[in-house]
Every structure is written in structure tokens, then in C-alpha cells.
Amino acid sequence: MPEEPDRYRVVNPATEEVIATVDLADPAATDAAIARAAAAFEGWRKVAPGDRARLLRRFAAEVDAEREQLALLEVANAGHTIGNARWEAGNARDVIEYYAGAPERLFGRQIPVAGGLDVTFHEPLGVVGVIVPWNFPLPIAAWALAPALAAGNTVIVKPAELTPLTALRLAELALRAGLPEGVLQVLPGRGPVVGQRFVTHPGVRKVVFTGSTAVGKSVMAGCAAQVKPVTLELGGKSANIVFADADLDKAAATAPYAVFDNAGQDCCARSRILVEASVYEEFLERLERAVRGVRVGDPADEKTEMGPLISAAHRARVASYVDGDTEVAFRGSAPEGPGFWYPPTVLAPIAPDHRAFTEEVFGPVVAVVPFRGESDAVRIANATEYGLSGSIWTRDVGRALRVARAVEAGNLSVNSHSSVRYWTPFGGFKQSGLGRELGPDALHAFTETKNVFIATEE
Ligand SMILES: NC(=O)C1=CN([C@@H]2O[C@H](COP(=O)(O)OP(=O)(O)OC[C@H]3O[C@@H](n4cnc5c(N)ncnc54)[C@H](O)[C@@H]3O)[C@@H](O)[C@H]2O)C=CC1
Ligand SMILES: O=C(O)/C=C/C=C(\O)C(=O)O
């Protein structure tokens, strides 16, 4: 008797209703997808650069035409607020359009040598496996697939079990745009089945992984067996550093959004607020007003600022960091349910070795601590295994630059909480990851440099 297929019931985290059922690939289906991608690679790499660019522009146009539907799908599948979901769909469109300019500009070099001509080429790698988490299903898929396709690779995206719907739609839009069969596939499946096969199958030539640091380490270790390149975007515990000379009104008013955006399920979340001791109490008062004002509720409502967590299991994990009310300074509100709600929560004072201060919570929980002077701020900011993002609030430009250079993180912003711009590099120091996505740097993560010497001497 054939085995029952592995099916996944996709749930709306704001209502707990099942909104779709998705078949999950088994190892045989994964191998078949890899074979299709390998066959498609031979044709795709030979598509003339201008034609590849035109196809990617058409793909971006299809995403653009479907932006609102993609956003609504993400509201239902991931519980993202409609405002955020619109930004994410627009970001996916922008990223594909940005890299559509690349095939015609992927220049090699001509290097002066004796006795001949020396030229370099940027060759595509082959089949790229992209493992995507549930927190930003659409942008994170686009950040990898767009540069990979532009450089001439074929791509298989494995979305997270919880959030496959927008990625599946993206694959349909690629076909509608005219991308040949097999060039971009989306294969829902379990991490240890499909994701792991990307790691072990010799036909997959690169793995891009975004997710937990623990799984990222195992992906990297597995890829080492074949010296397979990896790009890793992992966890974070970013610091939001507020100096006494900062615009305190603005710093306090924006701090909640820097950590509670996407209900804190963001690897760039500024989940530690470091405040100069002389303005600590004053800052906390302003922060309390801002946190109590965060509108938590129906993500489809235009006025909502924070939606639910992704699942009941994840809510239990987030709650485990707040073990009683001892450290809770104040909280915002959240609906009762159904839905996986958790209120914005501020912890202060908190011991430096408390789990909520040292580990990635990935929920709407922030810890606030005082610091004394610049070097103390840098010491606390760097006292973590992570190094992804962070903010520095000060009116002193010299200090802003000194601190930005000293903080061990890949993406810092001054008097702002911005982390992601598709034309600038994004990625982490230390255990927050390896390699860079976005911007021009990402293209080279999907190519090998080939050097060719042509003898010209008789
Ligand atoms: N850097 C980030 O943006 C993210 C960080 N996380 C962190 O990880 C925690 C746990 O979340 P999870 O969803 O369990 O993350 P996860 O790391 O288990 O899942 C991320 C992706 O990896 C896949 N995966 C799982 N096991 C795999 C394996 N053995 N081989 C290959 N792929 C595998 C999953 O199916 C999913 O597509 C979160 O609470 C958060 O702290 C989670 C998601 C994204
Ligand atoms: O802040 C954003 O818009 C996106 C952040 C990216 C991640 O959370 C990630 O790479 O996982």
C-alpha cells in the first residue's frame, strides 16, 4: 500500500483557522526537483544576458501586479500587519527588479600578464537550495533567489512549514513571466527532509539558510563534507544604544517599533535597550507611554501596529523567557484569543545573565539596562554571541561613528532603526551568520571566479 502523503495544515495565526493544506515533499520528490533544476541550469546559464534581464524584469512586473494579493496572503498566513505585508511584497518586487540589472553588468576583468591575455569570468554555480524561515517568508526568499537567478543559477526554495503560501505564489508568477520550467521551484517540506537533502545532495551547489543559529551551524557542518558554499543569516540580540544627548522623545517613541515590529519575530529586533544612566528613568517613562500605545490586534486592520505570534508553540517559547512578573516593568495590551497573542513586554531591571537578556527571544519582549559612558555601552552591546544589527542614538557625530565602528554587528543605524535596504549589504558578525545578502555583494555569493590565460606569444 502506498504511504499517505505528508500534508501540512497551514493556520492563520490571528484566528487559528486552517486556511490551506499543503503537500510536503519526501526525499524522492526532493531528488526529482534537484534533477529538474540541474537540467534547467544547462539552458538558463546560456540565456543571453539581455534576455535573462528582460525575463527577470517581467517577473518583477508580475510581482508588482500581484502586490496586494501577496500582501493579503501574508496577513492570513504569517499574521503580518497589512502595512508590513505591503512593504514586504514591494520589497520582493524591488529586489527582483534590482538584480534584473545584473546579468548585463556581471563584468569580469582583464588582468595585465606577460605572454598573453588573462581574463576572469563570473560563472554560475548550478543548483542553489534556499531554506527560508517563517518570519519574513517573501522578502527572505526574494533576497536569495533574485541574485542567484540573475547570476545564471537555478533555484529551489524550501519555505518554512508554517508559511509556504506566498513563496508558492511567487513560483507561479515566475512561470507566468516566462521563466523556463525548473529554473525556479518552490518545494514545501520539512527542514530535516528537504532542507537536509539540499545539504547532502551533491547536485545542490550552494545552500542559503536563514533561521536559528543551531540549525544554521548544522547546515554549515553538513555542507563542509562537500566543501559546499553557504550563506547563513542567523539569530540576533541587537542593541539599541541611547546616549543622554540624543533626541529622547524620538528615541523612546520609535524604540517599541524597533523590537515589536512583526511581533518581535525579526532577527534585527533591537531587543536590548541600553540607556545612559543619567537619563534612564526619564527614558523609561517615555518608553512606557509609547509601549502602552502600541495597537495590537487584527493584522488586516490598517490601524494595527502589531499582530500575533506565528504559533502556539512559539508563544509558549516566548513566554518561557518571562518567568513571573519579577522583571516586568510594564506591558502593552493584547487580545484574549483565538490567535497566538502576546503583549509587548518591557523587562527592567534585569540581571545581565538573565536568559531574556542573553538569548534571542524572537517575540515582543525587550530588556532595558543603564550604562555609564561610551566604553560601557560598547562593552554591553558586544557581550553577546550575536552581531547582526543595532542602533545608536546621539547628536554627537564623532561619537556615533566611534561607537558604530566599535560595535561588532553587520548592520548599524544612527538615529534610525533601519536595517534593510535592498541595494546595501545585509548580514551578521559572529554567530549571526556568514556572507552578505542584498546589494552588489550578494551577486558574487552566487558565482565562482574563473581565470583564463590565453597565450599570445608564438
Ligand atoms: N534569523 C532569523 O530570521 C530566524 C531566527 N529564528 C530563530 O530560531 C528559533 C526557532 O525557530 P524555527 O522555526 O524552529 O527555526 P529553524 O531554524 O528550525 O527553521 C528555519 C528553516 O530551517 C528549516 N530547517 C529546520 N531544520 C532543518 C535541518 N535540519 N536542515 C535544514 N533545514 C532545516 C525549517 O524547515 C525552516 O525552513 C526562533 O525562535 C528564532 O529565535 C527562526 C526563524 C528565523
Ligand atoms: O527587518 C527586516 O525587514 C528584515 C529582517 C530580516 C530578517 O529577520 C532575517 O534575515 O531573518
Side-chain angles (χ1 to χ4, degrees), residues 130-136 140 158-162 189-199 207 209-216 218-219 233-236 265-268 310 314 317-318 321 359-363 386 388 432:
V130 179
I131 303 171
V132 177
W134 44 261
N135 60 330
F136 289 104
I140 291 175
K158 189 209 84 63
E161 294 86 323
L162 292 160
R190 298 192 187 276
V193 178
V194 177
Q196 186 57 21
R197 197 70 188 124
F198 290 172
V199 171
V207 175
F209 173 85
T210 306
S212 61
T213 294
V215 175
S218 81
V219 165
E233 296 292 356
L234 309 175
Q265 303 164 122
D266 184 338
C267 55
C268 296
I310 191 66
H314 187 58
R317 183 179 177 277
V318 169
Y321 283 93
E359 296 177 20
E360 181 175 55
V361 178
F362 227 55
Y386 296 115
L388 188 56
S432 283

Side-chain angles (χ1 to χ4, degrees), residues 11 152 248 272:
V11 169
L248 281 194
R272 297 180 298 155

